[in-house]
Amino acid sequence: MDVKQLAATLAQNADACARFLLPNGKREGGYWVAGSVDGEQGHSLQVCLSGNRAGIWADFAGQDKGDLVELWRQVKRLSLPDAIREASEWAGVTPIHLSQPKARHYDLPAPQDGEKIGPEVSNYLTAQRGMTTGTLEAFGVKQQGRSIQFDYCYPAGQVVHRKWVGLDRPEGKKQIRSSKNTKPILFGWQALDPNTRTVYLTEGELDAMSLHQLGFPALSVPNGATANHWIDVEWENLARFDDIYIVFDGDEPGQKGAMEVAQRLGVRRCRVAKLPTGQDVNDLLVSGSTSQAIGTLLAQAACFGPEELKPVEAFRETLIEHMFYSDDSVDGLLLPWASTHGLFRLRKSELVVLTGVNGHGKSQALGHMALGLINQGERVCIASLEMPVNRLLERLARQAAGVRTPSEAAVNGMFDWMQDHFWVYDKLGKEKTESILEAIRYGFHRHGITTFIIDSLLKCGLDEDGYNEQKLFVEALADLKNELGLTIILVAHPRKKEDETNPVGKMDIRGSGAISDLADSVLTIWRNKKKEEQLEVTPDDAEIAAKPDARLFITKNRNGEFEGGVPLWFDRDSFQYTSFRREQVKYYVSQDMIDSHRQENTEGENHA
């Protein structure tokens, strides 16, 4: 929950919050009044308790005003982060945590400090790039050899990341290097007002320093407009800002990156500034733009209004591209079975329902699908409401290693491989639909997760006969996948049948008909139990053994043409499905990863 959401939550209980913060005040009409933020009796400070301005306050004897988060900060004499934390606890706001199999480890930069800025670097930064000595000191800029050194650190903390930009430009190319495996935080925290609730994000260090010099609180992303891995690290720190202006370069990569950052941080509090093509903030500073001129430009930053209102002309290029130049065969993510590649894909903004009789391998197939998505670079989260996390990860380890009993080194290798690409919603049993929806939204914005697997609808806190509740939940999932461009896979159980001989389809899903109606695709996993029974009687029958162990049925495919069944074979050692009999299973964990951990274990044993 960011500061804007927290302020809205406090405003819903404005009366109780005002009484808590200012117990010596009193109510007068629709306001809670006191003398000042010190809490004495009086009338100068007034807090609105209802209506559209609920939670807004002002001290008419001075200049102070704001919302209830700002009132909390001033009354309690706290920093803004501490005020947010304390007010959240008072309001009972519980943060969402998605478990990741292994937290990423970052190193600290080598303990080599830069030198005081020399004449050449000083001339470049001041005479050529317009920086003042005060700005360079505020950001702690140093020099190493013929490179400018930028230290990334928090106000009272140690340096956690470093970047060097060379003065020399061989063949006109910038020479940039960064410390290895260090935490990718934003640059400029050391110069930022700790209580500001507006920030300007730039694409480079000099741009952030330029805005700071012109009077705008600014931070820079560490590695350009399109590398967004810093968002995971800085999420909590950015929660304190009401307004985030994204001031990336005026070229196409800059504007595209700005839109991606806004989607992740939340479009309701982000604005994207449009700089002149080919220019950045520092260019504007050097060319003589004043604080007033830059302020006018930034004030025109685009909000995210009702995007649904578009002229038909806006669709011309995308339609022509789709109809005549795009290759549908590469649209979407592949399932891990080669036999499905020309028939079906998992696409963004789609809700996929997976069904199948109990014991037919839905969860095993889901795990295998998740590994296949991670292997394509996708960020995946599984809400395994029917299976303990340890059991889920045991199965995934078996599938990832491709063997019945993976070694400790192979399991460690799996965690390394999954790092930054896999999360678990750690809840076993019934869960509220509101919590699941909020976790999906949070996971997308906080971690960039774009595939969510919910196993299963039966555990989503809905009555089995509550058809309208089921419809509303599936509608909410459909709206969310459209809004955020997600792939959501929902497991839904079928109605009980007399036997398991025939596969179930979309018409057999238990509950509301809206489940299959609202889904973009419906998949069924069917296990050939008749084959298993026959092999128990005649284990050497080659004709029976050649039959598929299972089938994946595609019974609805809204954005594709194929509907039908695809044969699969099941490898009992790895729990993987294959497209062909005797096809080799896939080893998702590389031998290099396994060898690396074996070496670590050996070194640890020798040391012991």
Side-chain angles (χ1 to χ4, degrees), residues 228-468:
N228 295 334
H229 52 292
W230 56 269
I231 295 179
D232 287 355
V233 174
E234 294 283 29
W235 181 265
E236 282 81 9
N237 295 322
L238 292 173
R240 68 184 239 201
F241 298 111
D242 289 310
D243 299 298
I244 299 175
Y245 288 77
I246 304 172
V247 196
F248 286 1
D249 296 355
D251 54 18
E252 183 178 349
Q255 292 302 293
K256 181 181 178 182
M259 297 297 291
E260 292 174 354
V261 169
Q263 288 288 339
R264 288 285 305 278
L265 297 182
V267 294
R268 114 194 139 274
R269 61 178 178 145
C270 289
R271 295 187 177 202
V272 174
K274 178 67 173 176
L275 299 183
T277 302
Q279 290 192 304
D280 57 29
V281 177
N282 185 246
D283 292 330
L284 297 177
L285 175 72
V286 171
S287 66
S289 293
T290 63
S291 178
Q292 183 178 1
I294 295 290
T296 300
L297 179 65
L298 297 177
Q300 297 169 357
C303 296
F304 291 82
E307 295 182 352
E308 295 81 4
L309 296 176
K310 297 178 181 177
V312 69
E313 180 62 25
F315 299 93
R316 183 196 296 263
E317 291 186 12
T318 54
L319 182 60
I320 296 296
E321 175 69 22
H322 174 73
M323 290 183 65
F324 301 106
Y325 300 103
S326 67
D327 182 359
D328 284 342
S329 66
V330 296
D331 178 21
L333 294 160
L334 295 168
L335 296 179
W337 310 297
S339 55
T340 67
H341 290 181
L343 307 175
F344 180 81
R345 297 246 177 166
L346 291 173
R347 296 179 174 88
K348 298 305 176 188
S349 301
E350 286 196 354
L351 172 63
V352 179
V353 172
L354 177 68
T355 190
V357 177
N358 286 339
H360 276 230
K362 295 188 295 297
S363 296
Q364 287 170 177
L366 274 175
H368 196 178
M369 288 165 63
L371 295 178
L373 294 174
I374 294 169
N375 200 48
Q376 296 171 73
E378 191 75 353
R379 290 187 165 197
V380 180
C381 179
I382 294 182
S384 182
L385 306 176
E386 295 189 354
M387 184 186 300
V389 171
N390 280 344
R391 179 60 176 149
L392 167 68
L393 293 176
E394 284 176 12
R395 285 191 177 187
L396 288 177
R398 193 165 167 176
Q399 290 178 316
V403 295
R404 178 180 292 273
T405 308
S407 65
E408 181 179 347
V411 173
N412 277 314
M414 177 194 74
F415 279 107
D416 291 346
W417 176 70
M418 284 182 167
Q419 187 171 276
D420 295 333
H421 286 278
F422 185 58
W423 284 258
V424 175
Y425 187 75
D426 190 8
K427 178 67 181 290
L428 181 63
K430 188 176 291 188
E431 179 61 299
K432 294 179 180 178
T433 56
E434 295 85 356
S435 299
I436 294 171
L437 293 169
E438 181 60 25
I440 293 173
R441 187 180 296 279
Y442 175 86
F444 169 77
H445 288 301
R446 173 68 173 82
H447 299 296
I449 301 169
T450 50
T451 296
F452 288 83
I453 299 172
I454 305 169
D455 188 9
S456 68
L457 179 64
L458 192 65
K459 295 295 185 180
C460 290
L462 302 171
D463 291 336
E464 196 167 330
D465 297 327
Y467 291 175
N468 190 56

